[in-house]
């Protein structure tokens, strides 16, 4: 009999949405300049609030960020494996989200 823990993410799938941790907050802050460049604007506010993650050949983080004026951004950040330098990069983003919009995978 195979028992599955519902809290464990599916292999290759994103985890359930979790409250922000200090580690992921630091990742979000690190990529803020890259996100602002891709978005073509500076944000009035930049406060990461929740995230989900996906283990691949590295880790994908899907992060919800409060960017001010009741607008949220969903940001997909890739962190490479340690032997590849654990580099961080924004691989996709969506603007114009609300506090109630669920974190769902962003099409590339």
């Amino acid at each position: 009999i195979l028992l599955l823990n519902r809290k464990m993410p599916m292999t290759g799938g994103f985890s359930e949405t979790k409250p922000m941790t200090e580690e992921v907050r630091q990742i979000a802050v690190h990529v803020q300049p890259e996100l602002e460049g891709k978005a073509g604007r500076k944000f009035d506010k930049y406060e990461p609030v929740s995230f989900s993650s996906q283990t691949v050949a590295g880790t994908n983080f899907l992060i919800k960020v409060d960017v001010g004026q009741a607008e949220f951004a969903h940001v997909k950040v890739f962190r490479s494996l340690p032997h590849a330098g654990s580099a961080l990069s924004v691989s996709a983003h969506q603007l114009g989200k609300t506090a109630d919009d669920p974190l769902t995978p962003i099409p590339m």
Side-chain angles (χ1 to χ4, degrees):
I1 296 175
L2 176 63
L3 298 176
L4 298 176
N5 179 344
R6 289 184 150 308
K7 297 210 182 242
M8 295 294 292
M10 293 185 327
T11 302
F14 276 92
S15 69
E16 63 188 40
T17 299
K18 304 173 192 172
M20 188 52 50
T21 64
E22 182 58 25
E23 175 192 17
V24 179
R25 186 194 70 75
Q26 288 179 11
I27 289 169
V29 168
H30 181 84
V31 300
Q32 180 179 355
E34 182 182 356
L35 176 61
E36 289 176 335
K38 289 181 181 229
R41 64 182 171 115
K42 296 269 185 197
F43 299 116
D44 296 331
K45 179 179 184 180
Y46 193 85
E47 184 178 331
V49 295
S50 60
F51 75 99
S52 65
S53 59
Q54 174 189 42
T55 301
V56 289
T59 305
N60 283 317
F61 295 93
L62 189 54
I63 306 169
K64 179 179 280 205
V65 181
D66 181 346
V67 294
Q69 300 178 6
E71 180 185 7
F72 287 75
H74 291 182
V75 187
K76 185 177 179 185
V77 178
F78 176 72
R79 179 176 62 190
S80 63
L81 293 169
H83 75 273
S86 297
L88 298 169
S89 63
V90 173
S91 55
H93 70 282
Q94 294 176 325
L95 301 174
K97 295 294 189 174
T98 68
D100 295 328
D101 286 333
L103 279 172
T104 57
I106 301 171
M108 302 274 284

